[in-house]
Amino acid sequence: GESVGLHLPTLSVQEGDNSIINCAYSNSASDYFIWYKQESGKGPQFIIDIRSNMDKRQGQRVTVLLNKTVKHLSLQIAATQPGDSAVYFCAENRGSYIPTFGRGTSLIVHP
Amino acid sequence: DAGVIQSPRHEVTEMGQEVTLRCKPISGHNSLFWYRQTMMRGLELLIYFNNNVPIDDSGMPEDRFSAKMPNASFSTLKIQPSEPRDSAVYFCASSLSQGAEEQYFGPGTRLTVT
């Protein structure tokens, strides 16, 4: 029979707006988190990381926020550009030294 | 550096055939990872090596899958015999060391088994 594909959460924004992509993690023992960006036809690419002893870290146009109380991670992209259109994954280290990837969020930027 | 190199980029094969995917990690990286990505299951870790030694292969689906890393600059993922449900994009990634480190992904191999 026909299989049903997984529909990724999708965020649509206008060029120039700020984007916020959210991620919930499950293991309170996780101590390291990474955001990856995957463009169509390519492998995931590292964007930014954060350790559990921090609650905020900034990069170029991106900021990651970590709320350990509610086990929530977010990626903020300032002045979103069409080139930011991609699937964004969060990954957490659950203590096994190997990151576990989330399902991903599709970001669509409209010019 | 050329980054992680994977070959072939696309593979179409018939059910029952043997498939071999190849990966060259970034020079100097000690850890290598094989992932499978599908729409249904997302990104799944199949196996990872540290210093050429397989550390965790619990993600390997079944005995039809095998992986080797004969030296620090080469790894293979083999499927024998292949089945249509193996159709996916297979990624190889490497990192400087085992642990919670940034992984560098290759471009992937899109496998289609008919």
Side-chain angles (χ1 to χ4, degrees):
Chain A
E2 181 179 3
S3 62
V4 178
L6 176 69
H7 294 284
L8 292 175
T10 299
L11 175 66
S12 291
V13 300
Q14 290 294 130
E15 181 178 0
D17 287 352
N18 296 333
S19 302
I20 300 176
I21 301 171
N22 297 303
C23 178
Y25 63 94
S26 57
N27 192 331
S28 56
S30 295
D31 58 4
Y32 180 63
F33 305 87
I34 307 176
W35 280 101
Y36 284 88
K37 172 186 180 183
Q38 185 176 20
E39 297 175 87
S40 180
K42 298 182 179 179
Q45 180 182 21
F46 173 91
I47 301 174
I48 192 169
D49 60 359
I50 189 168
R51 297 201 177 269
S52 59
N53 61 353
M54 304 172 67
D55 53 20
K56 180 179 180 179
R57 190 165 188 219
Q58 287 186 292
Q60 188 176 23
R61 278 202 309 119
V62 295
T63 301
V64 56
L65 299 177
L66 175 63
N67 185 330
K68 294 182 287 294
T69 302
V70 295
K71 293 184 284 188
H72 183 268
L73 195 65
S74 69
L75 177 70
Q76 300 180 0
I77 305 174
T80 313
Q81 302 167 1
D84 296 326
S85 294
V87 175
Y88 290 81
F89 295 93
C90 66
E92 62 176 304
N93 170 10
R94 295 185 176 183
S96 66
Y97 305 110
I98 302 304
T100 301
F101 286 81
R103 292 299 222 178
T105 296
S106 177
L107 176 65
I108 299 173
V109 182
H110 300 282
Chain B
D1 198 313
V4 176
I5 299 172
Q6 290 187 246
S7 65
R9 293 294 311 277
H10 301 275
E11 177 80 32
V12 179
T13 191
E14 292 183 346
M15 182 175 65
Q17 296 298 305
E18 177 180 294
V19 175
T20 299
L21 311 181
R22 298 173 175 80
C23 175
K24 176 178 167 57
I26 293 173
S27 177
H29 282 192
N30 295 324
S31 293
L32 183 141
F33 308 81
W34 281 102
Y35 290 89
R36 177 173 66 177
Q37 187 176 44
T38 62
M39 282 300 294
M40 289 296 291
R41 302 174 69 91
L43 197 62
E44 302 174 277
L45 177 66
L46 300 177
I47 185 171
Y48 83 94
F49 296 83
N50 191 52
N51 292 323
N52 311 338
V53 176
I55 303 299
D56 185 351
D57 65 353
S58 59
M60 296 286 262
E62 49 199 89
D63 292 344
R64 297 185 297 108
F65 285 68
S66 63
K68 294 182 180 179
M69 191 165 186
N71 56 62
S73 60
F74 184 67
S75 177
T76 59
L77 177 68
K78 185 176 293 186
I79 308 173
Q80 167 63 18
S82 58
E83 297 183 2
R85 61 193 169 119
D86 302 329
S87 297
V89 181
Y90 291 82
F91 289 104
C92 176
S94 69
S95 66
L96 275 171
S97 63
Q98 176 178 301
E101 301 285 347
E102 173 186 354
Q103 295 184 13
Y104 295 78
F105 283 77
T109 296
R110 180 173 293 278
L111 173 64
T112 303
V113 184
T114 60

